[in-house]
Amino acid sequence: MAEKGSMDRAKYDFKKAMQEIVDLRGRGTELISVYIPKTKMISDVMAYLRDEYSQSSNIKSKSTMKNVQGAIESIMARLKTYKTIPDNGLVLFCGEVPRAGDQTRMVQYVLEPPEAITAFLYRCDSQFFTDPLQTMLLDKKMYGLICIDRQESTIGILSGNRIVVSAHFESMVPRKHRQGGQSAQRFERLIEIAAHEFFKKTADKATEVFLDRIQDMVGLLIGGPGATKDFFVKEGYLHHELQKKVVDTFDTGYTDEYGLKELVENAKDAIQDIDLMREKKFIQRLFTEIRKQDGGLSAYGEDVVRDAVNMGAVEVLMLSENLNKRRVTTKCPNGHECQQTMKESPDRCQCPECGANAEIIRDEDLVDDFFELSEAFNTDVEIITEDSEEGEMLMTAFGGIAAILRYKV
Ligand code: ZN
């Protein structure tokens, strides 16, 4: 079975919509945001909105009042099409935003968020209220962190850019210098026993902290000043599931909270490589095919790839996250229905066949268009960021659209 893409269509659409919404500003305090959790009755929301509608008649500026009321009406009309609220809740943004000249246009976004909304919220402001949704875009992946030497150990979690300390231990292991009155050998043995106990204690705590979350854990990073960290990894103190996640050991000067920061800093390249490995793997496969004398099982360029997708010949479709293009379908009075790809949503369109003014009957994000084409053929669609050199090359050298084929076309 093909592995599922790292970013599916729902997540891509959500991310794109958020990018647009965040930048929108109203002329006045007239952009409305409504967050509705699953538990809320639609009839209650309607009653709330009716109340806001009547209160808005107190707004001094006539144009603001008109726009607020228009937005509330539009939201209510949209809500009427729902029988129940979806599992993760519903978020609606609606209002008039400026366009060229003195004009405004009404925008409306209805989002089903990727995570559940917990509280009902209504807000009217000069911009849309998106804070609760921003955190949903954050990566939930995390790394385990352990810093250790014979004196001290610290366990923590890295998620996003945040480091959280989970546990900190100081050992009872005496430093290795001669103690008067005791035989050196016996003293050495005691030290080793104490160290062993300390390593075990640290490893047990690591199991407690990490094992429940191992699904989300991308890797485990081990840091410390000397050889102890390598000894700790090599001697198998860690739970076998954690042992499998060890990325590498990294030198740090400290083993406390500051040591965890050093560890993340020093492991930066390794972390970035891992995060982008999946994306890089696909592009590298593409390059391998392209390098073959007959072009192998590669395809690139929008038209060529589109044809291959429509034939069901594409195994992996790679699309740059920042394609930012529209697929527009038009219909002219002479009956031509045509599709074209454009840089942005057009206000009006000419028929590519006969040049007559044509009606725009569909206007959607190019990536979404490809998602739809691919659905019927079990094609794996991969959204590729420009965070790696390979990802950048997909955008600059291949226009952001390429494919690995199942067979030559
Ligand atoms: Zn025409």
Side-chain angles (χ1 to χ4, degrees):
M1 259 261 314
E3 208 182 329
K4 210 168 169 298
S6 48
M7 198 195 295
D8 59 14
R9 183 174 174 184
K11 190 164 177 208
Y12 172 82
D13 287 346
F14 182 73
K15 205 171 166 185
K16 277 282 148 184
M18 289 294 290
Q19 281 170 358
E20 280 178 39
I21 293 164
V22 166
D23 289 335
L24 295 172
R25 298 286 180 275
R27 286 241 168 85
T29 306
E30 57 189 48
L31 301 188
I32 294 178
S33 313
V34 185
Y35 286 65
I36 311 172
K38 183 185 170 55
T39 48
K40 188 94 176 166
M41 301 278 285
I42 291 180
S43 55
D44 289 349
V45 181
M46 286 297 204
Y48 189 100
L49 291 172
R50 271 194 295 274
D51 188 45
E52 286 291 337
Y53 186 95
S54 54
Q55 281 187 37
S56 65
S57 55
N58 300 322
I59 296 172
K60 283 205 189 75
S61 154
K62 281 285 166 267
S63 77
T64 302
M65 182 187 89
K66 194 178 120 263
N67 289 344
V68 167
Q69 293 187 337
I72 295 177
E73 274 172 353
S74 169
I75 289 173
M76 289 173 77
R78 190 60 185 256
L79 269 181
K80 273 188 193 137
T81 64
Y82 284 85
K83 281 209 177 70
T84 54
I85 301 294
D87 281 348
N88 283 342
L90 206 57
V91 184
L92 299 101
F93 299 108
C94 190
E96 294 282 338
V97 296
R99 64 192 292 179
D102 247 2
Q103 296 182 318
T104 59
R105 68 186 166 106
M106 181 178 270
V107 293
Q108 190 189 61
Y109 295 88
V110 181
L111 304 180
E112 289 183 30
E115 289 168 34
I117 286 164
T118 49
F120 176 76
L121 182 147
Y122 172 95
R123 193 165 291 194
C124 183
D125 207 335
S126 58
Q127 62 193 74
F128 290 120
F129 180 64
T130 57
D131 293 7
L133 300 180
Q134 296 289 354
T135 55
M136 293 182 191
L137 285 173
L138 294 179
D139 226 320
K140 292 294 181 295
K141 287 183 299 192
M142 62 102 172
Y143 287 84
L145 309 171
I146 301 175
C147 271
I148 188 164
D149 66 3
R150 292 166 75 98
Q151 257 56 57
E152 186 182 47
S153 66
T154 309
I155 296 171
I157 288 170
L158 169 72
S159 69
N161 290 319
R162 231 162 61 99
I163 297 171
V164 178
V165 177
S166 310
H168 175 252
F169 298 115
E170 276 170 42
S171 80
M172 302 299 202
V173 182
R175 293 194 183 272
K176 279 189 178 178
H177 52 70
R178 266 299 186 97
Q179 212 87 341
Q182 233 170 351
S183 92
Q185 265 186 346
R186 183 176 143 74
F187 185 62
E188 280 294 322
R189 223 177 71 79
L190 285 174
I191 287 181
E192 289 324 309
I193 290 169
H196 174 74
E197 287 306 318
F198 177 64
F199 296 155
K200 256 188 66 174
K201 185 174 162 188
T202 301
D204 287 348
K205 188 68 188 178
T207 306
E208 192 188 312
V209 171
F210 296 135
L211 208 56
D212 285 347
R213 316 182 50 176
I214 197 120
Q215 299 294 346
D216 298 324
M217 190 159 98
V218 182
L220 181 57
L221 310 169
I222 315 282
T228 302
K229 60 180 179 302
D230 300 301
F231 179 83
F232 178 72
V233 172
K234 246 184 261 149
E235 293 302 308
Y237 282 99
L238 288 164
H239 186 283
H240 61 97
E241 289 291 331
L242 296 183
Q243 188 80 34
K244 279 191 269 180
K245 293 272 184 178
V246 174
V247 175
D248 207 347
T249 61
F250 300 86
D251 280 323
T252 64
Y254 297 84
T255 44
D256 55 4
E257 184 175 356
Y258 185 76
L260 295 185
K261 284 187 188 137
E262 278 185 293
L263 173 58
V264 170
E265 187 58 36
N266 296 340
K268 229 183 205 164
D269 289 347
I271 291 173
Q272 220 203 355
D273 270 4
I274 296 168
D275 286 349
L276 296 174
M277 209 171 330
R278 182 186 166 84
E279 293 184 24
K280 289 165 87 161
K281 214 176 64 195
F282 286 114
I283 308 286
Q284 281 161 4
R285 229 182 110 192
L286 176 74
F287 290 163
T288 308
E289 292 299 325
I290 288 174
R291 260 184 251 116
K292 290 179 184 167
Q293 243 174 15
D294 57 353
L297 293 172
S298 70
Y300 46 88
E302 184 184 339
D303 293 338
V304 175
V305 171
R306 187 188 301 278
D307 288 345
V309 170
N310 281 326
M311 291 164 71
V314 173
E315 182 189 333
V316 187
L317 174 61
M318 285 161 276
L319 303 167
S320 290
E321 184 184 16
N322 296 324
L323 262 179
N324 289 331
K325 285 188 178 163
R326 310 294 300 178
R327 187 71 176 165
V328 178
T329 310
T330 57
K331 198 173 179 180
C332 83
N334 301 322
H336 304 126
E337 198 175 305
C338 303
Q339 292 200 322
Q340 43 191 321
T341 299
M342 306 182 127
K343 278 215 171 86
E344 41 191 67
S345 290
D347 284 335
R348 61 176 72 95
C349 244
Q350 281 185 328
C351 174
E353 296 272 327
C354 66
N357 282 337
E359 192 195 344
I360 298 165
I361 54 176
R362 198 149 174 265
D363 173 6
E364 89 176 323
D365 190 279
L366 183 59
V367 171
D368 280 332
D369 180 55
F370 270 111
F371 264 119
E372 272 159 33
L373 294 177
S374 307
E375 254 163 32
F377 303 105
N378 199 23
T379 292
D380 175 16
V381 183
E382 294 288 332
I383 303 296
I384 309 288
T385 64
E386 285 178 68
D387 296 341
S388 72
E389 215 177 298
E390 286 86 348
E392 255 177 56
M393 269 174 89
L394 176 66
M395 191 63 194
T396 52
F398 301 103
I401 303 174
I404 297 166
L405 304 173
R406 294 191 168 110
Y407 50 87
K408 275 194 87 66
V409 294

